[in-house]
Amino acid sequence: MNILLAEDDIKLGELISYMLEKKAKYHVDWVQTGEDAYEYAIVSHYDVIIMDWMMPDGDGIQTCKKLRSERYGGAILMLTAKDAIEDRVIGLDSGADDYLVKPFEIDELLARLRALGRRNFSPIREDILKIEDITIKRTSQTIEKDYQHIQLTPREYQLLDLLVQNKGQVLTRDIIYDRIWGTETDVSYKTIDATVKLLRKKLAIFDKENWLHSIRGVGYKLET
């Protein structure tokens, strides 16, 4: 399960991330502002977003409303110390699918996540993508054209898939790093650049190396 945790309390954020990754073996991206939560949510696929109510740069309610106004279909679990009935109503009416009051036991949080994960919030992703005359196959992690196919490494495929899903948008190195390599590795940003270089070489076989654009000092985008 892929989880986006939006929590500005450092100790609580570290604890929740640790428990979800170690106890449940989930992948967790952790952000600390509403603005970052929104940015991560619109460029990546998450099974559930755990959204704290009180955050800087857009609280959980504002962020939830903004996502729903743009037809974000993923599951959102609101996390807050506010326990009054009217507060629960506000949280749910903002677009949250569930509401958990602090303090809470980690086992209850895991149960809520499993319940949300069983519900069908997002459309099933197609196994095959077509971009111009190129076919990208998710199952085999290959790119194909006119009976010729090229095998991608898992990281090359993940990078291409992420860029394709956000075609035309600039993805920062931070987002690419967190979404593909995670926050618990010793991988540097040079690895991202090296992976882009290798992917360009494979796309060059089909004369598509110019699809990958480097945005100096920021990151990358795919533009056909």
Side-chain angles (χ1 to χ4, degrees), residues 49-211:
I49 299 176
I50 303 174
M51 186 86 69
D52 183 39
W53 185 314
M54 302 300 294
M55 290 186 296
D57 297 328
D59 62 29
I61 297 295
Q62 294 172 338
T63 305
C64 192
K65 286 181 177 179
K66 186 175 182 181
L67 287 170
R68 294 308 191 201
S69 71
E70 298 183 16
R71 302 195 177 189
Y72 179 78
I76 300 176
L77 170 64
M78 190 68 69
L79 196 64
T80 179
K82 297 175 179 289
D83 61 355
I85 294 297
E86 54 266 31
D87 292 323
R88 295 172 186 257
V89 171
I90 291 172
L92 295 171
D93 281 348
S94 72
D97 300 286
D98 201 356
Y99 189 102
L100 186 59
V101 177
K102 303 176 185 177
F104 55 86
E105 295 293 333
I106 193 67
D107 286 339
E108 181 180 4
L109 174 60
L110 290 173
R112 300 285 187 102
L113 293 176
R114 288 193 297 270
L116 289 172
R118 288 192 295 267
R119 296 165 61 184
N120 184 22
F121 288 92
S122 301
I124 297 174
R125 301 169 72 192
E126 294 183 4
D127 179 58
I128 295 177
L129 287 177
K130 291 284 292 185
I131 304 180
E132 296 185 353
D133 55 351
I134 299 295
T135 299
I136 302 171
K137 293 187 176 180
R138 287 195 168 101
T139 301
S140 60
Q141 297 187 357
T142 59
I143 50 178
E144 302 181 5
K145 177 186 176 183
D146 299 332
Y147 303 105
Q148 182 181 13
H149 75 275
I150 298 173
Q151 185 68 51
L152 302 178
T153 67
R155 295 306 190 194
E156 290 168 352
Y157 163 74
Q158 288 176 307
L159 177 60
L160 179 60
D161 190 47
L162 181 63
L163 290 168
V164 167
Q165 293 304 312
N166 299 280
K167 181 181 174 183
Q169 297 186 54
V170 178
L171 300 186
T172 66
R173 283 183 173 84
D174 285 339
I175 287 178
I176 295 172
Y177 178 88
D178 288 343
R179 191 66 186 88
I180 297 178
W181 283 272
T183 59
E184 298 295 326
T185 71
D186 296 326
V187 173
S188 70
Y189 286 171
K190 290 182 179 179
T191 302
I192 298 175
D193 300 332
T195 305
V196 170
K197 186 176 181 181
L198 292 171
L199 183 56
R200 274 203 184 106
K201 284 184 177 180
K202 291 186 176 180
L203 289 172
I205 297 172
F206 297 140
D207 297 321
K208 304 298 184 182
E209 67 274 19
N210 61 346
W211 279 7

Side-chain angles (χ1 to χ4, degrees), residues 12-70:
L12 182 58
E14 288 177 345
L15 176 61
I16 293 175
S17 296
Y18 176 82
M19 294 302 292
L20 294 184
E21 289 176 342
K22 300 302 179 182
K23 191 168 184 176
K25 307 301 181 183
Y26 294 159
H27 172 81
V28 180
D29 288 336
W30 173 29
V31 298
Q32 299 171 29
T33 69
E35 182 178 344
D36 284 344
Y38 170 79
E39 184 176 337
Y40 273 60
I42 62 173
V43 301
S44 301
H45 168 74
Y46 294 102
D47 297 290
V48 183
I49 299 176
I50 303 174
M51 186 86 69
D52 183 39
W53 185 314
M54 302 300 294
M55 290 186 296
D57 297 328
D59 62 29
I61 297 295
Q62 294 172 338
T63 305
C64 192
K65 286 181 177 179
K66 186 175 182 181
L67 287 170
R68 294 308 191 201
S69 71
E70 298 183 16

